[in-house]
Amino acid sequence: RIAQCDVQPGYGYLPSGGWRAGSWLPDRLALPLSPVLPQSSHYDLLVTLYDAAGTTALTRRLGELHWEDGALVFVESEPQFTLPPGIESAEARFGEVIALRGYELAQDSGSLQLTLYWQALEEGQADYVRFVHLLDDENGGPLAQTDGAPQNGTYPTGQWVKGEIIADTITLDASDVSAEEVQIAVGFYPVEDPTARLPVYDGEERLLLDGRFLIGLR
């Protein structure tokens, strides 16, 4: 997280308890940025609404900032509907809402970089947590894992557009694992219940065990 601003709308002068239904309220915010931000990076811009108890009501990915001629330029998020060429094919369906269409896998300097290409089968309605487990063998416990919303927490499934392809890159610590030994399990569960994983079906519509799909096997 490079910068953030947590404040009631209108810097406290437009609290949400006083909003009128159907009205629009401009909310201008200033985010302090370091003058030495690396120009090799891009940055995601999110907005989140949460109550006084810290319970999140809404998260939206607005877009990203990238460098152009020495200045940060904002690019609004736009849904993509095509798969990139040259990726590894994979077919899995998670419930009735999400499919896995392919992936890319690379290892470098003790880390494993995995890019998953999800497809929204329905308009986003609920936010699911995506889990990725790096396994020592098919039935073993995870050597490394990450749980969260796709795209580093910036693009919850509830925002997805039907048919959209979502590229989701995850980096896992794999300092003691060779690429030939990698086994990875992926799946989804509701935010409120990690034990209620979405059922998973392979490309032949066979129900898989444990609510997870294995990829990256060598």
Side-chain angles (χ1 to χ4, degrees):
R1 195 170 288 182
I2 302 301
Q4 70 181 68
C5 176
D6 290 53
V7 65
Q8 287 193 27
Y11 288 93
Y13 290 99
L14 294 171
S16 58
W19 292 0
R20 183 176 300 172
S23 62
W24 292 91
L25 294 104
D27 189 19
R28 296 177 177 86
L29 302 172
L31 293 173
L33 296 178
S34 168
V36 292
L37 286 177
Q39 296 198 18
S40 59
S41 301
H42 71 270
Y43 306 94
D44 297 309
L45 186 62
L46 302 182
V47 60
T48 299
L49 298 178
Y50 61 89
D51 63 18
T55 302
T56 298
L58 176 75
T59 297
R60 286 291 181 267
R61 184 178 191 272
L62 304 182
E64 68 177 43
L65 295 159
H66 67 265
W67 291 98
E68 188 174 301
D69 298 327
L72 280 171
V73 177
F74 175 71
V75 178
E76 184 178 355
S77 289
E78 293 286 349
Q80 303 296 315
F81 297 94
T82 58
L83 288 167
I87 67 172
E88 296 286 342
S89 178
E91 288 294 333
R93 176 170 59 83
F94 301 85
E96 303 297 327
V97 291
I98 298 167
L100 179 65
R101 298 305 188 199
Y103 66 93
E104 293 176 294
L105 191 63
Q107 189 173 15
D108 182 40
S109 302
S111 65
L112 184 74
Q113 187 173 80
L114 171 69
T115 299
L116 301 163
Y117 292 92
W118 309 110
Q119 184 174 37
L121 301 180
E122 300 290 344
E123 293 291 324
Q125 298 179 6
D127 289 338
Y128 294 99
V129 176
R130 178 263 298 125
F131 68 83
V132 179
H133 294 171
L134 179 64
L135 306 177
D136 54 357
D137 58 60
E138 183 173 340
N139 298 311
L143 299 171
Q145 71 180 78
T146 179
D147 294 43
Q151 295 189 350
N152 289 320
T154 70
Y155 200 16
T157 60
Q159 298 181 34
W160 294 3
V161 177
K162 184 176 181 180
E164 178 182 4
I165 300 293
I166 298 91
D168 182 21
T169 300
I170 301 103
T171 301
L172 296 169
D173 180 14
S175 52
D176 298 323
V177 179
S178 69
E180 289 75 19
E181 299 170 344
V182 167
Q183 297 188 9
I184 299 172
V186 299
F188 288 87
Y189 59 83
V191 172
E192 65 277 3
D193 188 359
T195 66
R197 292 178 177 176
L198 291 180
V200 187
Y201 302 85
D202 66 12
E204 298 180 1
E205 289 297 311
R206 294 174 297 196
L207 180 65
L208 304 180
L209 297 177
D210 302 326
R212 63 183 189 174
F213 180 71
L214 296 178
I215 63 172
L217 303 180
R218 297 291 194 268

